[in-house]
Amino acid sequence: MPELPEVEVSRQGLLPFLSQQRIAGAIVRTPRLRHEIPAGLDARLAGLRVEAIRRRGKYLLFDCQGEHAGGCLILHLGMSGSLRLVAPATPAQAHDHFDLLFADTVLRLRDPRRFGALLWHEGEGVETHPLLAGLGIEPLSAAFDGDWLHAATRGRRAPIKPLLMDSRLVVGIGNIYAAESLHLAGISPRRAANRISHARCHLLAAAVRSTLSAAIAAGGSSVRDYVHSDGGAGCFQLRCAVYDRAGEPCPACGGPVKMIRQGGRSSFYCPRCQR
Ligand SMILES: [Zn+2]
């Protein structure tokens, strides 16, 4: 599943090719993904210019502006979505649901499982869109630090790992990155959030930031004409310390990595290093 780093790598990869480019049109081959794709999207987009490509959580936001109208194309890659830049004459293959057409390139969305989203927000204020309004803090923003994490977790007795993965609190920390960040910070995934000291909240915020940044940096080097967001690639690029490594030696202490279930998800951690 594309996680925050893969989405950010896609954004950074697309930006130099699409920024300030005029949209020639759009081709919608599938009426709905997770949601219905808005009717008449081609007519709305044609003639607009891509002013910026932003990311909010795992949503890509294409700010589009014309002389008299503008809006934001909201794109989510779901479970299996990927974006490619292809030459205009490239034939579409199975699961290629959407093309955004430019003069000399095509942005193509492939999504075999169709859990992605493609929506249009007319005018300003896309942040108030129902899909975006309830999202928590960005983990790579300056506001996400130990002070914030400490304040946000007081009164929260739930284990820290499911909280970290709750996008209403903080966006874009999937299972892999939660496990790796907690290992880096030496905090057990089972620890009650409100029992983590201020100093350790600083360690954890820094660990989240560095884990996500390392994955983005690893993915960023592979982006050229092919803009990928390949599910599962994050862990490979990250050389995970604990994620999906039950029974293998912890790289820090050599003790066996343990797997437990938390909220229906697998959690991997080192009981020696993480308290
Ligand atoms: Zn260890």
Side-chain angles (χ1 to χ4, degrees):
M1 186 192 305
E3 298 285 351
L4 185 151
E6 287 82 10
V7 177
E8 179 61 20
V9 164
S10 291
R11 188 189 75 81
Q12 292 176 7
L14 293 173
L15 207 50
F17 296 99
L18 303 186
S19 181
Q20 304 308 318
Q21 295 297 305
R22 189 179 165 279
I23 298 168
I27 299 172
V28 178
R29 297 190 187 84
T30 307
R32 68 172 293 140
L33 300 172
R34 168 164 248 163
H35 310 277
E36 204 147 318
I37 297 178
L41 195 55
D42 171 56
R44 286 170 198 260
L45 287 168
L48 304 184
R49 202 173 287 278
V50 177
E51 295 279 312
I53 307 175
R54 295 181 289 147
R55 182 187 55 73
R56 180 74 178 100
K58 298 204 292 181
Y59 290 92
L60 283 174
L61 307 177
F62 294 76
D63 292 320
C64 302
Q65 192 58 48
E67 265 183 58
H68 306 293
C72 186
L73 186 67
I74 304 170
L75 195 155
H76 194 287
L77 296 172
M79 306 284 284
S80 61
S82 62
L83 292 167
R84 288 171 174 75
L85 290 172
V86 299
T90 310
Q93 296 180 17
H95 314 300
D96 286 346
H97 303 305
F98 176 76
D99 284 355
L100 191 60
L101 311 173
F102 297 87
D104 52 9
T105 191
V106 172
L107 176 64
R108 181 161 286 171
L109 171 67
R110 179 172 296 176
D111 185 1
R113 296 182 63 182
R114 300 192 192 187
F115 278 110
L118 190 63
L119 295 161
W120 174 251
H121 177 86
E122 189 81 27
E124 307 272 304
V126 70
E127 293 76 12
T128 62
H129 190 281
L131 287 176
L132 306 180
L135 293 180
I137 193 169
E138 285 286 335
L140 293 173
S141 70
F144 179 78
D145 61 9
D147 293 341
W148 182 89
L149 192 58
H150 187 256
T153 51
R154 294 314 92 179
R156 306 293 294 261
R157 287 189 219 163
I160 183 62
K161 179 161 173 278
L163 263 190
L164 271 187
M165 294 176 63
D166 183 348
S167 65
R168 291 166 300 180
L169 187 72
V170 48
V171 294
I173 306 180
N175 204 8
I176 296 172
Y177 300 103
E180 294 300 303
S181 300
L182 287 165
H183 182 259
L184 191 57
I187 296 170
S188 167
R190 308 169 68 170
R191 173 155 295 271
N194 64 354
R195 300 280 311 276
I196 301 172
S197 70
H198 202 155
R200 296 179 90 206
C201 283
H202 274 285
L203 284 178
L204 181 53
V208 165
R209 189 182 290 269
S210 73
T211 302
L212 292 173
S213 299
I216 291 167
S221 60
S222 67
V223 172
R224 289 219 174 85
D225 54 342
Y226 168 70
V227 180
H228 79 124
S229 50
D230 179 17
C235 194
F236 173 71
Q237 287 158 356
L238 211 60
R239 284 182 221 93
C240 289
V242 290
Y243 181 78
D244 205 19
R245 295 193 53 185
E248 293 179 45
C250 162
C253 73
V257 171
K258 191 174 172 185
M259 186 186 85
I260 56 169
R261 301 289 290 178
Q262 284 185 298
R265 306 290 300 271
S266 301
S267 279
F268 301 88
Y269 74 110
C270 173
R272 276 198 219 167
C273 295
Q274 295 176 249
R275 308 247 157 203

